[in-house]
Amino acid sequence: MSTRLIHISDLHFGRDRPELMRPLLAALNDLAPDVVAISGDLTQRARASQFRAARTFIDHIEAPVLCVPGNHDLPVHRPFRRFFRPFSNYRKHISPDLSPAWLSPDLALIGINTMSPWRWQTGWATRREIREAVGHCTTGPASRLNVIVAHHPFELPKGSGKREMVNAEWGLTRLAEAGADIILSGHLHRWRVVEPPGPNAPPILQIHCGTGLSTRQRGEPNDFALIDIGSAETEGEVTITRYVAEDDATFHALTCHRFQRGAEGWAAPRAHPPRDPVLLA
């Protein structure tokens, strides 16, 4: 039996597109995932009202939801709270667990909190967070797919204008050694699927979603990723489909890549038209 995962990111309630909320929820629920991962920035200014809006959105998702905080989920404009109670609203309205995990026989979805009030924009892959994620990766069956969820990318594209996350290279290496297969992230508001660039690189696929709801689109459509993990008949195969919002507030499948996990890592992807290019109202 296959496992279905949806990845969304950077909802930015407070700078969201209200006309897209119902279509996005309809798309998420119609696709019937086993679990939904949200890789941070649920809010724009970490205000209680914005977290309540995010909570309402999450409560309308029928599948289990795993969230990690993003930099906009810390109250950067309120210095006392930023440094002494940075996650108070997040813990109250979203989850007390900043590094949650969702485990099944076929999939380990492992959250990493890359947020620090001292590294608000850049992010920080702390040794504690990486050790905990490594612990999840090294337990369970060897055939299980280990998927990391973090707000900040562990690598940056050229011209991103961002500084690399603290401990990013070390953290990526440690996760790869422990058996992590995929990293889901956001932050950049840009869609990318990054395969391992060579035999000496960490054998991890990296999937960067744009923004699911925000007006801060940076020239790209609002999107999310559907990730289908192969059944026993297609063991090791992962299909990644990008769904994007059209001007008429519908989401549809735009691009699709398939990867095969083998003894030497991931095979090179092949671009395909989506299997089911159905419009989701």
Side-chain angles (χ1 to χ4, degrees), residues 1-46:
M1 185 175 181
S2 62
T3 301
R4 174 164 277 195
L5 161 66
I6 285 178
H7 172 214
I8 59 178
S9 194
D10 294 80
L11 301 174
H12 286 280
F13 279 97
R15 281 287 303 273
D16 56 292
R17 298 178 62 191
E19 74 276 13
L20 280 187
M21 187 167 70
R22 288 182 182 273
L24 179 56
L25 284 169
L28 300 182
N29 291 330
D30 287 348
L31 289 167
D34 295 281
V35 62
V36 173
I38 305 179
S39 56
D41 276 3
L42 283 76
T43 69
Q44 178 65 17
R45 286 288 181 263

Side-chain angles (χ1 to χ4, degrees), residues 4 31 226 228 241 243 252-253 258 273-280:
R4 174 164 277 195
L31 289 167
L226 171 67
D228 285 303
T241 306
Y243 279 78
H252 72 95
R258 297 190 184 102
R275 286 175 173 171
D276 300 303
V278 61
L279 291 180
L280 296 169

